Amino acid sequence: MVNLVAAQRPLLHRLMKMAGIVPYVIEIEPGTVMNFWVPVETLPKCKKGHEPKPPQKPTKPVVVLVHGFAAEGIVTWQFQVGALSKQYSVYVPDLLFFGGSVTDKADRSPAFQAECLAAGLGKLGIEKCTVVGFSYGGMVAFKLAELCPELVVSMVVSGSILAMTDSISGETLSRLGFASSSELLLPRSVTGLKALLSVAAYKKLWFPDRLHKDYLEVMFNNRKDRAELLEGLIISNKDSTVPKFTQKIHLLWGENDQIFKVELARKLQRELSDNATFRGIPKAGHLVHLERPCVYNRCLKQFLTSLHSNAQTK
């Protein structure tokens, strides 16, 4: 029987190609490879039988879209790529253990993800970028901005926090009724996937059980490694600090986010002080970019436009 979710992949790939991005695999170091979706114009054409040439530097401002935990890059950002690609050079990485990105290293921390992401962006010729991070990808984005302030000039973060402390993790799981992060984010059954969607979305989403089963088969692979990624997220409260970010940071939130509530976003804005701005989107939950893509894209583009208009007036 055909997996309906897998059958949609060629269509999604065609849509990405129409928007101007194509997959490109980079060896970060021996044993570690990452898949990126990159602007097709940055890949020089190569004659058959000739050694491929390295990617060229992008000619437009760069936006890097970093996905969350339940899906790979282009599935997460399918409504954003086309909206941005005319004005910006859009790059969509697949983090390690998503979308064909793998490593044989034992490190499962967000810092290691950020280091690999930085190395990959460097190999793509990117010197400066705005990073848009969602949920788990937001934590990786914060770490990337902390480690590479010369690379990350600004950020947009949705449904995420600086780091998953043991107190935030415990409170969130208790409030949502899950025993562990793996139970919430790595469902093994249709019932578990429905439970995840019920807390992630503002509106009740109905899909036939067949579609839920197909999604589980396609999107929740590398379970052991991903469970280790979740374990690598948790830090002690006493180890939690707020870095001094130099970047402009825009918090773009679903006002009805049940996982990372809007109060957490407001607290984060206060912690980041003058560098951070906040915008809430009503009638949207954790999956704000998928539930209300038109509103999300408009808010995102307004922030990006303000960055570049400010740069031009200086």
Side-chain angles (χ1 to χ4, degrees), residues 32-265:
T32 302
V33 297
M34 290 189 77
N35 180 65
F36 285 76
W37 288 79
V38 307
V40 66
E41 67 269 14
T42 66
L43 300 179
K45 292 183 179 179
C46 182
K47 292 181 180 180
K48 193 172 182 180
H50 286 65
E51 192 74 21
K53 297 177 182 179
Q56 298 172 341
K57 291 182 180 181
T59 56
K60 295 182 285 190
V62 174
V63 177
V64 180
L65 304 174
V66 189
H67 64 82
F69 207 84
E72 60 199 44
I74 59 170
V75 175
T76 300
W77 300 110
Q78 58 187 286
F79 297 125
Q80 282 68 52
V81 173
L84 297 173
S85 58
K86 286 185 179 180
Q87 290 178 276
Y88 304 95
S89 291
V90 178
Y91 291 78
V92 187
D94 288 317
L95 296 174
L96 297 172
F97 303 113
F98 297 85
S101 299
V102 294
T103 185
D104 60 5
K105 307 298 185 291
D107 196 337
R108 297 292 183 265
S109 67
F112 183 62
Q113 291 272 24
E115 289 166 4
C116 292
L117 180 52
L121 293 173
K123 289 175 182 285
L124 290 167
I126 296 171
E127 297 174 347
K128 294 184 182 298
C129 64
T130 295
V131 179
V132 182
F134 163 67
S135 198
Y136 174 67
M139 296 180 216
V140 174
F142 273 126
K143 189 57 68 174
L144 180 66
E146 179 186 354
L147 296 174
C148 306
E150 72 290 343
L151 171 66
V152 180
V153 296
S154 57
M155 296 175 63
V156 178
V157 175
S158 297
S160 188
I161 50 179
L162 283 170
M164 181 65 81
T165 62
D166 44 20
S167 62
I168 292 177
S169 175
E171 186 280 328
T172 302
L173 292 171
S174 175
R175 172 168 48 80
L176 296 177
F178 291 86
S180 67
S181 296
S182 290
E183 183 185 344
L184 170 62
L185 294 170
L186 289 173
R188 293 184 174 275
S189 66
V190 169
T191 299
L193 180 55
K194 287 180 177 179
L196 171 58
L197 291 174
S198 71
V199 300
Y202 168 67
K203 292 183 179 179
K204 290 184 178 180
L205 304 175
W206 183 89
F207 300 106
D209 285 353
R210 161 79 187 281
L211 203 59
H212 285 99
K213 290 177 182 176
D214 290 351
Y215 192 90
L216 283 168
E217 284 182 16
V218 172
M219 290 297 165
F220 291 95
N221 51 8
N222 296 323
R223 284 182 174 274
K224 176 179 178 295
D225 299 295
R226 291 193 193 180
E228 291 171 357
L229 290 178
L230 290 173
E231 291 173 9
L233 269 181
I234 309 297
I235 65 169
S236 170
N237 285 338
K238 61 182 176 60
D239 295 328
S240 176
T241 58
V242 180
K244 291 185 178 180
F245 291 105
T246 58
Q247 300 91 342
K248 286 187 176 294
I249 301 172
H250 190 48
L251 307 176
L252 187 52
W253 231 261
E255 290 184 357
N256 304 95
D257 192 328
Q258 295 184 63
I259 296 177
F260 293 123
K261 286 182 167 289
V262 75
E263 290 80 12
L264 270 178

